[in-house]
Amino acid sequence: MSKPKAQFQPSNILLVEVPPHFITLCEACRASPQAVLRGMASMICGLQCNEDDRLQPLDGTAA
């Protein structure tokens, strides 16, 4: 059975399918799977979280 496609998706959302053991590993480490994925994506994109939990470039300039 195929998944229904969303009619509208905001451009700042990335849907990622992860294996169940990734979620189990995150939960065993008391980490949110979403937070872990967000952290990995920010490193790949050269971003960091500021005090407001918003992503910004590593050099500290406004995005």
Side-chain angles (χ1 to χ4, degrees):
M1 183 188 288
S2 64
K3 295 180 183 177
K5 292 187 178 186
Q7 291 183 8
F8 172 76
Q9 291 183 351
S11 61
N12 63 346
I13 292 178
L14 175 65
L15 298 177
V16 178
E17 189 171 335
V18 296
H21 59 273
F22 173 82
I23 296 171
T24 303
L25 179 62
C26 291
E27 291 173 348
C29 296
R30 297 186 179 186
S32 160
Q34 293 87 352
V36 172
L37 289 169
R38 190 180 314 116
M40 288 191 293
S42 67
M43 284 189 282
I44 291 169
C45 296
L47 302 171
Q48 65 183 359
C49 286
N50 64 14
E51 305 82 37
D52 299 326
D53 203 25
R54 294 189 178 270
L55 294 174
Q56 65 183 28
L58 287 172
D59 63 9
T61 60

